[in-house]
Amino acid sequence: MIFATLEHILTHISFSIISIVIMIHLMNLLVYEIERLRNSSEKGMIATFLSITGFLVIRWISSGHFPLSNLYESLIFLSWSLSIIHMIPYIGNHKNYLSAITAPSAIFTQGFATSGLSTDMHQPAILVPALQSQWLMMHVSMMLLSYAALLCGSLLSVALIVITFQKKIYSCLKNKNLFSLRKSFFFGYMEYLNEKGSVLKMTYFLSFQNFYKYQLIQRLDYWSYRAISLGFTFLTIGILSGAVWANEAWGSYWNWDPKETWAFITWTIFAIYLHTRTNQKLQDQGTDSAFVASIGFILIWICYFGINLLGIGFHSYGSFQ
């Protein structure tokens, strides 16, 4: 009973802290960026990480096994993984472009785990014989860490695509023969600028804005590549350790189980991403590889949730049923 109470308290503390962190991010984005508030949000994610770590340790002690036996525990671990990825740029004193992705993702996964699943799944259970192996911690933790990193990298790639195409659409409209329309729309404003002698200032502002967008695209591409590279490494380790575990449990390294098949498809897509990203031209700004990563985003959710919804195959232990 004490363990259950502590778990309940820690999950609510971490959920509340993440909610505050998201509010701080919205304030910095929509109102004004305050350095102290930004630092407070980073410290909040550290507190969230410590709270979820405490939950996992308590669950480990109470259940007697590493807490990755069902969907509820895996979602909490996924939220823990997202908090780790959030802190990586903060440790290196980099501007955290991942924060807009990791904080909402963490609160989504944790909120779904605590509110979207039945209370029966919240209770620790005895491991089935197939899961009673030292490979459980290695395989499942690597897979969930890879999901967290790949999801963050893929969402950054989606943001890159949106910003890039917004810029291209604007450039296309600018080059069209729409001078009369734009003139009628902006005539009064441009006349005001001419009267104030601010045309040069306006041109400078637009040039600065384009340069800022270019820098933003480059940083999104950089962090997307770093996150996906990290996730791809974890995914490779997870698949290899799973193959060894499968050989011990079922007598075969590969059985083309639905989970294994989709994991292999996901691995292939992100291998294509890394190949495309490494060989892309500088002027492409990562759009080709970003499209591949956006496909990978869908595949991750199919691999993680789709198979659990169906509850089929050898990997049906974490299903909703």
Side-chain angles (χ1 to χ4, degrees):
M1 179 61 97
I2 297 177
F3 288 129
T5 303
L6 288 174
E7 290 176 6
H8 183 77
I9 292 172
L10 288 172
T11 52
H12 280 74
I13 288 175
S14 60
F15 187 84
S16 300
I17 293 173
I18 298 176
S19 302
I20 296 172
V21 168
I22 292 177
M23 290 178 62
I24 292 174
H25 279 299
L26 288 175
M27 289 176 61
N28 285 333
L29 179 65
L30 300 177
V31 183
Y32 183 75
E33 184 172 358
I34 303 174
E35 187 68 20
R36 290 183 179 179
L37 280 179
R38 190 170 67 85
N39 292 334
S40 299
S41 68
E42 300 298 339
K43 292 176 181 177
M45 287 303 294
I46 294 175
T48 300
F49 166 76
L50 294 175
S51 299
I52 301 177
T53 302
F55 168 86
L56 293 174
V57 171
I58 292 171
R59 176 60 71 98
W60 195 347
I61 295 172
S62 63
S63 63
H65 58 80
F66 195 69
L68 286 174
S69 59
N70 57 28
L71 184 61
Y72 172 72
E73 293 174 350
S74 71
L75 283 169
I76 297 296
F77 190 89
L78 181 62
S79 181
W80 180 79
S81 303
L82 289 165
S83 64
I84 291 180
I85 294 172
H86 178 94
M87 292 186 297
I88 291 176
Y90 180 72
I91 295 172
N93 293 321
H94 297 288
K95 186 174 181 180
N96 198 345
Y97 287 88
L98 296 173
S99 60
I101 303 296
T102 51
S105 299
I107 196 173
F108 171 77
T109 54
Q110 193 169 345
F112 181 75
T114 54
S115 303
L117 300 178
S118 63
T119 54
D120 294 336
M121 296 190 68
H122 295 185
Q123 306 303 320
I126 300 174
L127 286 177
V128 297
L131 296 180
Q132 295 176 5
S133 172
Q134 67 274 16
W135 289 104
L136 173 66
M137 183 189 302
M138 178 69 175
H139 170 63
V140 184
S141 63
M142 287 295 102
M143 294 300 292
L144 290 174
L145 282 168
S146 72
Y147 291 159
L150 292 174
L151 285 172
C152 291
S154 300
L155 285 173
L156 289 174
S157 293
V158 172
L160 186 151
I161 292 173
V162 172
I163 294 173
T164 302
F165 273 82
Q166 182 184 17
K167 181 179 178 182
K168 288 184 177 180
I169 291 172
Y170 175 78
S171 299
C172 180
L173 292 175
K174 185 178 179 181
N175 294 329
K176 293 283 187 179
N177 190 17
L178 298 176
F179 177 76
S180 58
L181 179 62
R182 285 181 292 146
K183 183 177 179 180
S184 62
F185 187 79
F186 293 109
F187 180 80
Y189 182 61
M190 291 302 295
E191 186 178 7
Y192 171 78
L193 289 176
N194 287 327
E195 290 176 356
K196 297 295 183 179
S198 303
V199 176
L200 185 61
K201 293 180 181 179
M202 187 66 180
T203 305
Y204 173 78
F205 173 75
L206 291 174
S207 300
F208 176 78
Q209 189 178 34
N210 290 333
F211 177 72
Y212 175 78
K213 280 188 176 182
Y214 174 79
Q215 276 194 324
L216 179 60
I217 289 171
Q218 294 301 311
R219 300 310 296 176
L220 288 174
D221 181 52
Y222 173 84
W223 282 108
S224 176
Y225 175 66
R226 292 295 181 270
I228 291 177
S229 298
L230 179 65
F232 184 79
T233 302
F234 287 143
L235 183 62
T236 303
I237 296 173
I239 291 175
L240 292 176
S241 60
V244 176
W245 187 10
N247 185 57
E248 289 186 1
W250 304 318
S252 175
Y253 287 101
W254 198 265
N255 299 280
W256 292 108
D257 180 71
K259 198 87 166 184
E260 295 175 352
T261 303
W262 282 103
F264 176 72
I265 294 172
T266 304
W267 184 91
T268 303
I269 286 295
F270 283 106
I272 295 172
Y273 165 84
L274 293 174
H275 174 76
T276 307
R277 171 59 174 73
T278 304
N279 294 279
Q280 72 184 7
K281 296 179 180 179
L282 182 63
Q283 60 267 26
D284 290 339
Q285 296 179 330
T287 52
D288 293 338
S289 56
F291 275 115
V292 179
S294 62
I295 296 173
F297 175 79
I298 299 173
L299 293 179
I300 293 169
W301 286 114
I302 294 175
C303 185
Y304 182 47
F305 268 120
I307 306 302
N308 291 331
L309 285 170
L310 295 176
I312 58 176
F314 296 129
H315 293 77
S316 58
Y317 312 111
S319 65
F320 291 91
Q321 301 174 358

